[in-house]
Amino acid sequence: MKLSAIPTTVRTTCPYCGVGCGVNAQVGQDGAIAIAGDVAHPASQGRLCVKGSALGETLGNHGRLLAPMVREDGKPRGTLREASWDEALDKVAQGFARVIAEHGPEAVALYVSGQLLTEDYYVANKFMKGYVGSANIDTNSRLCMSSAVAGHKRAFGEDVVPGNYEDFELADLIVLVGSNAAWCHPTLYQRIARAKQERPELKVVVIDPRRTATCDIADLHLPVKPGTDVWLFDGLFGHLAGHAADEGFVDAHTTGLADALDAAAKAGSPADVARTCRVDPRDLERFYDLFANTEKVVTAFTMGVNQSTSGADKVNAIINCHLITGRIGRPGMGPFSLTGQPNAMGGREVGGLANMLAAHMDLDDAAQRAALQDFWGSPRVADKPGLKAVDLFRAIEEGKVKAVWIMATNPLVSLPDADQARRALEKCELVVASDIVLGTDTNEAAHVLLPALGWGEKDGTVTNSERCISRQRAFLSAPGSARADWDIICDVARRMGYAGFEFTSAHEIFDEHARLSGWKNGTDGQRRRVFDIKGLAGMTRADYDALDPVQWPVRTPGEATARLFGDGHFAHGDGRARFVPTVPRAPAYLPGGDYPLVLNTGRVRDQWHTMTRTGRSQKLAEHVPEPFIDMHPQDALLCGVKAGELARVTSDWGAVVARVQHGGGIARGSVFMPIHWSGQTASDARVGTVVNPAVDPVSGEPEFKHTPVRIEPFGVTWYGFILSRTELPLREAANWTRIQGKDFIRYELAGRKPFADAAAWTRRLLDVHDEDADWIEVEDKNGGMVRAAHLVDGRIESCLFVAQRADLPARAWLASMFDKDKLEPADRISLLAGRAKEKGFDAGPTVCSCFGVGRKTIEIAIRQNNLCDAAAVTACTKAGGNCGSCIPEIRSLLAEAQVAEA
Ligand code: SF4
């Protein structure tokens, strides 16, 4: 379907990570969409990573949910049929109203997402907490940064990130903890890399169990044992107390130092800490001295810290080190929570978590609850915390929550113990899902599907990691009958008889949100809240449309706030920050017995969440096409698995299958798997099914980084792959992965049943039933090899390669056959030979997705031209010359070449 477009350049914001880069989107006359970085956006200054650059490829109506749908028989996996908006919304409103009437407000819930815009989030929260009267609204941000929220609230009195991105350039020491910024916050990482290039005295320390791409710029890498960060920072805290304490700051602006130091002492001496964390004691001493002796320190942390059963304590252990040195809120220094999602921060501003109220008001403060109810004029306001994500899905399975509305997220893939989440939804009386795509694991369990607007179609605001509010603007018209999330929620609310949902635009909602932030803020005996954007209230529609990125607080029009707490005044009632005692404790489940290894999970460079958008881009698929298990070669040997072959990863909660690889800088005893693959893109790689459901007792954030597992071979008798212009049923495969190609779909396969009659078997696999089809095939019976291709009018339609071993022919040159209108005789021969006609055609796995440059191409260029730095590789091959996301990998190849030559 052709996209209808508003033909201008529109300034908007990237919908992926928390860096929040500015994007210029332009729709051409032919509907083609050009994406470029917005040089005027302060977060990114014109830069985009490979995911942002490929945004244009992820648009289009293919696979979209374009109309409301309901299940005929009301059961998950029953027949879906299209419905009118009236029918679908009545079903939702009446279903929710019935459950509330019969079982009370705690029997319904919303589960929302950091993909929502602030305006969507605002009305969702108002609907639940102000009108339904329950705080059962939680968000997938619970899974990525609720530990940071808890840490901020405990230390500062409010969920506030004190600094901004410029601090990374002004710092003399940057400590990156549990953060593979090179892959997960790429443009910020490149900003650090550039600062370090200009100022080599800027030191970078990476604290991470894995040697990730981020270590490319590290002066020191501390490969800590997973789960031991509190020991490390408690040890640092004790060291700073003796060597770098700012007593004036501590006395004037903090409380609780003695108790916190007592707790930290339990981590032991630096030698004990080094032993517990399994790091070289000399490296630990170096880090402690570097931190103690450097005034301008930024400690940035993300999922490696937050996703832990002691995540909140890890955050506070880091903040304690900044408080004791008084290094906070001034240029070039401070603790810095890097958020995972584009609007995790905006969701926090409007109370999108089950234990928060809107506008940073406190749920456990009766006066603030009353103030909120007064502002909304609502019949009630929730007076106790709701269910956090993991508890919510348990309550659904137990039948306590009987209706749930899921918006813009895919919990059957992303939650820990994801099979439990599936069981929960299969039991739930009413599951509503608002989404932009039809085919997701979660949507398969929904009774009502509501088509929402996606990026490029919706309009509103997001807030990035540095408190910068930016506009996401529409440049495409709504596909099908899709509607904005806020509009859908308001419609349901009105059908339930709730007043206060008469909004007609995102602008009106933003205005109410801004006014609420100033409501009884520091007046009427109320605490003065740092989150205050009343200076943005009262904007005209035109002002809102033209709103430039601005960092909150914005108390008066035109104000913006680069940093907070530099004056030593914090958000607790007494204005003082709190040192929080953080006694180190082990993760919930430890390796041993049947599960000797520790599974860590995370992102890969070119994919986002459950791939419902990035999975549509051929360019992004090429970097890491398949799910993998990265493990140390010696562990692989002990487990009897080999690189390139499939292995099963099993925990107490479930099992997945993926291809073994080495080289991710992983230590003995640990394995790593990516989070992105779902039941739509792979047969058995939904890693959430394996992850343990233990949560942090303070924040409720799950422990995605530490699940005991075992690894064993996944026995198959053959490996294969298919390239096909159409989707195939894959009946014969024991394991498969679906990968988006340019003009085809690629399936990586493996199977158990030997193929007796190759001719019939290959035709079944390629779904070719016409005896007269143009069919070419070769079989080596003794060698267990089969190759076949189906052509229509001389053009390749599909092809299949199967062998007993995993090392099959390169896919890249085969893919080029799909560009041809007609195969020449030589092409047919080369197809069956499994070899390109031209030598050197196989470029190897993609390194640079922007220009499609493969590993082999770069290796050859380095060797033949004696290239010795990344800039020379870029000049020679173009790799790294656009977004720069692949530069760490290019540097690794340069290092490997140097080692090989030596
Ligand atoms: Fe988007 Fe990449 Fe920028 Fe993150 S770093 S906001 S994914 S362009």
Side-chain angles (χ1 to χ4, degrees):
M1 189 181 294
K2 194 166 167 167
L3 297 160
S4 58
I6 304 154
T8 46
T9 295
V10 172
R11 290 179 67 203
T12 183
T13 314
C14 175
Y16 298 131
C17 83
V19 179
C21 297
V23 173
N24 284 338
Q26 194 173 39
V27 186
Q29 294 296 328
D30 58 353
I33 294 154
I35 296 292
D38 176 3
V39 290
H41 198 290
S44 49
Q45 299 156 352
R47 294 178 192 90
L48 295 176
C49 77
V50 64
K51 290 187 287 284
S53 303
L55 272 165
E57 283 186 41
T58 64
L59 302 171
N61 289 354
H62 176 69
R64 288 290 300 266
L65 177 61
L66 295 171
M69 306 196 93
V70 295
R71 296 238 177 242
E72 284 289 9
D73 54 8
K75 294 207 174 88
R77 294 173 199 278
T79 316
L80 269 178
R81 71 166 166 79
E82 216 171 288
S84 68
W85 272 108
D86 273 340
E87 182 190 354
L89 294 182
D90 278 346
K91 219 173 168 65
V92 177
Q94 288 163 12
F96 266 62
R98 179 189 59 77
V99 172
I100 293 166
E102 290 174 9
H103 305 281
E106 303 301 332
V108 300
L110 301 191
Y111 184 62
V112 300
S113 162
Q115 304 293 312
L116 291 183
L117 303 182
T118 301
E119 292 76 358
D120 304 319
Y121 248 131
Y122 179 85
V123 291
N125 187 55
K126 182 177 178 181
F127 170 78
M128 274 308 289
K129 290 185 183 141
Y131 287 81
V132 172
S134 161
N136 279 351
I137 168 169
D138 213 40
T139 158
N140 63 4
S141 298
R142 176 73 59 195
L143 313 182
C144 65
M145 36 46 60
S146 54
S147 293
V149 174
H152 291 157
K153 284 198 75 172
R154 292 199 300 186
F156 307 144
E158 195 168 325
D159 175 26
V160 174
V161 174
N164 64 25
Y165 295 152
E166 191 192 29
D167 290 329
F168 289 82
E169 290 160 338
L170 300 175
D172 293 321
L173 170 63
I174 297 171
V175 185
L176 293 163
V177 196
S179 157
N180 184 7
W183 281 19
C184 302
H185 297 93
T187 58
L188 182 63
Y189 169 82
Q190 286 158 27
R191 204 161 160 175
I192 300 169
R194 270 192 309 282
K196 187 161 172 54
Q197 206 167 24
E198 284 163 19
R199 226 164 26 91
E201 64 274 20
L202 162 62
K203 297 285 182 259
V204 176
V205 176
V206 174
I207 298 169
D208 196 312
R210 293 190 298 148
R211 187 168 181 83
T212 63
T214 301
C215 295
D216 182 45
I217 56 164
D219 297 279
L220 178 63
H221 170 218
L222 293 175
V224 287
K225 182 183 167 194
T228 61
D229 315 55
V230 174
W231 275 270
L232 187 94
F233 281 94
D234 275 358
L236 174 62
F237 186 42
H239 181 81
L240 296 171
H243 296 85
D246 181 340
E247 286 169 11
F249 181 88
V250 170
D251 287 347
H253 302 302
T254 69
T255 61
L257 178 62
D259 287 348
L261 281 173
D262 279 352
K266 297 200 168 44
S269 66
D272 295 333
V273 170
R275 230 180 347 264
T276 306
C277 298
R278 278 200 214 134
V279 295
D280 186 325
R282 287 161 304 184
D283 285 345
L284 187 76
E285 190 185 337
R286 207 176 134 210
F287 168 55
Y288 282 6
D289 285 343
L290 198 55
F291 200 113
N293 297 324
T294 310
E295 176 71 357
K296 291 185 174 177
V297 183
V298 170
T299 308
F301 57 91
T302 180
M303 304 319 152
V305 165
N306 295 335
Q307 291 179 329
S308 159
T309 46
S310 50
D313 279 359
K314 289 181 184 180
V315 172
N316 285 111
I318 291 169
I319 293 174
N320 284 346
C321 294
H322 280 269
L323 289 177
I324 197 169
T325 51
R327 296 170 187 160
I328 191 161
R330 289 182 283 140
M333 60 185 83
F336 204 112
S337 154
L338 293 171
T339 50
Q341 296 196 75
N343 199 29
M345 188 78 99
R348 287 142 73 169
E349 290 156 13
V350 300
L353 290 159
N355 51 330
M356 297 167 79
L357 288 184
H360 284 197
M361 293 184 182
D362 292 323
L363 190 53
D364 55 7
D365 182 326
Q368 295 201 347
R369 289 199 305 271
L372 179 61
Q373 189 177 351
D374 187 21
F375 179 85
W376 277 341
S378 60
R380 56 192 75 85
V381 78
D383 60 2
K384 61 175 196 260
L387 294 162
K388 299 181 180 122
V390 171
D391 292 338
L392 169 61
F393 280 79
R394 280 199 190 117
I396 295 172
E397 190 179 15
E398 288 162 6
K400 292 177 185 155
V401 170
K402 295 172 187 302
V404 63
W405 186 354
I406 297 162
M407 296 177 201
T409 183
N410 198 357
L412 295 204
V413 183
S414 53
L415 278 173
D417 192 8
D419 280 346
Q420 185 279 330
R422 173 168 284 161
R423 287 195 305 274
L425 292 195
E426 285 176 353
K427 276 189 172 179
C428 191
E429 286 179 22
L430 176 61
V431 179
V432 181
S434 299
D435 211 322
I436 63 167
V437 293
L438 176 59
T440 76
D441 294 38
T442 301
N443 288 356
E444 285 178 359
H447 304 107
V448 183
L449 294 177
L450 304 173
L453 297 181
W455 183 80
E457 299 149 5
K458 59 184 178 179
D459 203 45
T461 55
V462 289
T463 308
N464 71 4
S465 301
E466 58 165 359
R467 291 174 284 106
C468 185
I469 298 170
S470 299
R471 290 280 275 109
Q472 255 196 33
R473 297 181 174 93
F475 54 90
L476 299 168
S477 52
S481 63
R483 291 166 64 176
D485 284 291
W486 64 262
D487 186 30
I488 301 170
I489 300 161
C490 289
D491 201 335
V492 169
R494 290 193 298 268
R495 283 166 201 256
M496 291 174 73
Y498 298 154
F501 293 90
E502 300 303 326
F503 302 109
T504 60
S505 68
H507 162 236
E508 289 174 13
I509 300 167
F510 184 85
D511 186 61
E512 182 174 305
H513 164 54
R515 282 189 289 111
L516 175 60
S517 74
W519 177 251
K520 297 190 179 173
N521 189 345
T523 62
D524 302 84
Q526 303 269 348
R527 170 175 74 80
R528 184 181 162 107
R529 305 186 301 274
V530 179
F531 177 70
D532 185 344
I533 56 166
K534 64 177 173 295
L536 297 174
M539 284 190 291
T540 63
R541 174 71 190 258
D543 291 340
Y544 175 73
D545 284 344
L547 181 67
D548 280 325
V550 59
Q551 279 181 281
W552 62 257
V554 186
R555 296 187 184 100
T556 54
E559 186 197 12
T561 312
R563 293 178 187 85
L564 287 155
F565 307 147
D567 60 358
H569 190 88
F570 292 88
H572 282 294
D574 59 6
R576 287 172 175 264
R578 304 285 189 267
F579 285 101
V580 176
T582 55
V583 177
R585 62 180 192 278
Y589 297 97
L590 298 176
D594 285 346
Y595 305 114
L597 301 166
V598 170
L599 172 69
N600 178 4
T601 64
R603 292 174 174 160
V604 299
R605 193 189 75 189
D606 291 4
Q607 293 298 345
W608 179 256
H609 283 193
T610 63
M611 293 168 64
T612 50
R613 285 174 296 171
T614 48
R616 298 155 69 104
S617 162
Q618 165 249 336
K619 188 164 97 178
L620 297 180
E622 283 172 1
H623 180 237
V624 179
E626 285 185 275
F628 62 85
I629 308 153
D630 196 3
M631 62 193 301
H632 195 281
Q634 282 172 292
D635 284 335
L637 202 64
L638 287 174
C639 295
V641 298
K642 277 193 198 148
E645 295 186 356
L646 293 173
R648 187 195 299 277
V649 183
T650 307
S651 74
D652 247 344
W653 296 272
V656 287
V657 176
R659 210 173 286 274
V660 175
Q661 71 174 44
H662 310 312
I666 207 140
R668 291 283 318 269
S670 290
V671 299
F672 174 85
M673 281 194 74
I675 60 170
H676 308 291
W677 278 267
S678 68
Q680 317 298 310
T681 46
S683 55
D684 296 295
R686 213 161 39 102
V687 76
T689 59
V690 177
V691 173
N692 81 82
V695 299
D696 181 298
V698 180
S699 69
E701 181 151 351
E703 189 146 66
F704 282 98
K705 304 290 186 188
H706 201 284
T707 300
V709 295
R710 72 166 172 270
I711 309 254
E712 53 211 339
F714 182 75
V716 293
T717 59
W718 57 267
Y719 287 88
F721 69 87
I722 289 173
L723 306 183
S724 170
R725 292 192 192 272
T726 54
E727 301 275 355
L728 293 174
L730 304 182
R731 282 181 287 264
E732 313 274 341
N735 185 271
W736 57 265
T737 302
R738 181 195 183 285
I739 303 146
Q740 186 61 52
K742 184 161 155 261
D743 295 310
F744 57 86
I745 300 142
R746 170 178 153 198
Y747 298 99
E748 292 292 332
L749 310 170
R752 293 208 167 107
K753 278 195 228 148
F755 40 95
D757 177 355
W761 185 77
T762 48
R763 280 173 181 258
R764 269 203 314 279
L765 266 174
L766 294 187
D767 214 21
V768 176
H769 306 289
D770 178 1
E771 286 297 315
D772 299 326
D774 187 354
W775 181 260
I776 53 176
E777 182 180 304
V778 62
E779 182 189 5
D780 172 358
K781 265 196 197 308
N782 293 334
M785 180 276 289
V786 185
R787 292 170 189 164
H790 173 216
L791 288 79
V792 174
D793 297 330
R795 191 177 85 136
I796 190 165
E797 195 62 24
S798 57
C799 62
L800 162 76
F801 286 71
V802 170
Q804 287 177 345
R805 291 168 31 148
D807 52 343
L808 292 151
R811 284 64 163 169
W813 71 268
L814 275 164
S816 71
M817 299 281 175
F818 284 74
D819 293 336
K820 302 188 176 195
D821 288 336
K822 194 171 172 54
L823 293 197
E824 303 300 327
D827 291 327
R828 288 172 171 246
I829 291 166
S830 112
L831 199 62
L832 293 180
R835 246 190 345 259
K837 289 184 293 190
E838 310 89 10
K839 268 195 174 169
F841 193 92
D842 176 17
T846 297
V847 173
C848 172
S849 301
C850 294
F851 293 115
V853 187
R855 182 189 173 100
K856 286 189 186 171
T857 305
I858 296 172
E859 285 171 341
I860 291 167
I862 292 171
R863 217 171 37 241
Q864 289 183 344
N865 303 292
N866 291 323
L867 306 179
C868 50
D869 60 35
V873 173
T874 303
C876 191
T877 65
K878 288 172 88 174
N882 186 35
C883 73
S885 299
C886 61
I887 286 174
E889 282 158 280
I890 294 173
R891 291 220 179 94
S892 294
L893 294 177
L894 285 159
E896 280 172 26
Q898 277 163 9
V899 169
E901 198 172 307

